[in-house]
Structures are given as structure tokens and as C-alpha cells.
């Protein structure tokens, strides 16, 4: 798998950031826009055929970078997103940590 084969795009119609490998949908991280306009991230999925390649981290990394560039706020609920945000700083990202996370 070449890094050039990996693409992550925001799909506002499906409310998720989609990761493709060689043009094939390999995974995504979902978001819900709450009443305050924040992006709540409840779930990240990687197709079993693509697991073990670090793709969950890649889709979350690129999603968080894009959200920061857009000036939006993240509410992390997905364990993958929570873990990523606890381990890495995303410049310019505003995070509203939910209670109990």
C-alpha cells in the first residue's frame, strides 16, 4: 500500500470522512452536527479487509486536521478519536471533551 493510494475526503451528505485505498472505500469516521454546530464523532470503521494498516489513525488524523482548518469544534465520543486526540496535538483544533471521556 502506497501512501499516494490513500485519500480522505469529507462527505457532508453522509456525515463522515471517507478513506479510500486505490479508489476503494476502506473506512470512515462518522460525525453528527449537534445543536451547537459542533461535530460529534461517535464511530470509526475500517473494513476488515484493510485492518492492520493503521488506516483508522490516518482517517482520524486527516479528519481532525480538516476540522481544525475549518475552525469547527470536535466532540470526541469514538474511542479511536479519543485515543488519537489524547496522544497527538492538532494545531488549531477546538475540542469539547464530553463528561466521562
Amino acid at each position: 500500500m502506497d501512501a499516494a493510494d490513500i485519500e480522505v475526503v469529507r462527505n457532508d451528505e453522509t456525515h463522515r470522512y471517507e478513506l479510500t485505498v486505490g479508489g476503494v472505500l476502506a473506512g470512515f469516521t462518522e460525525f453528527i452536527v449537534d445543536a451547537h454546530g459542533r461535530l460529534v464523532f461517535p464511530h470509526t470503521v475500517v473494513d476488515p479487509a484493510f485492518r492492520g494498516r493503521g488506516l483508522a489513525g490516518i482517517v482520524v488524523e486527516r479528519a481532525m486536521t480538516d476540522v481544525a482548518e475549518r475552525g469547527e469544534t470536535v466532540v470526541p465520543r469514538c474511542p479511536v478519536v479519543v485515543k488519537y486526540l489524547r496522544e497527538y496535538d492538532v494545531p488549531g483544533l477546538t475540542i469539547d471533551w464530553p463528561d466521562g471521556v
Side-chain angles (χ1 to χ4, degrees):
M1 178 178 71
D2 186 344
D5 292 336
I6 299 172
E7 183 178 25
V8 175
V9 296
R10 178 171 168 157
N11 185 334
D12 284 313
E13 289 182 14
T14 60
H15 299 280
R16 61 192 194 179
Y17 282 85
E18 299 173 338
L19 181 139
T20 58
V21 176
V24 177
L25 181 64
F28 56 86
T29 187
E30 298 175 327
F31 63 87
I32 299 164
V33 181
D34 73 7
H36 303 286
R38 304 173 304 176
L39 301 185
V40 180
F41 282 81
H43 196 55
T44 300
V45 174
V46 173
D47 184 302
F50 292 92
R51 288 194 183 144
R53 304 180 193 184
L55 296 177
I58 291 170
V59 71
V60 169
E61 172 192 19
R62 294 191 189 172
M64 296 302 107
T65 299
D66 184 68
V67 171
E69 290 172 356
R70 293 171 182 257
E72 296 171 320
T73 300
V74 166
V75 179
R77 293 211 174 268
C78 168
V80 177
V81 175
V82 168
K83 182 177 187 296
Y84 182 85
L85 293 175
R86 292 209 187 281
E87 291 180 4
Y88 300 98
D89 180 49
V90 180
L93 183 63
T94 302
I95 305 167
D96 279 354
W97 290 99
D99 291 338
V101 173

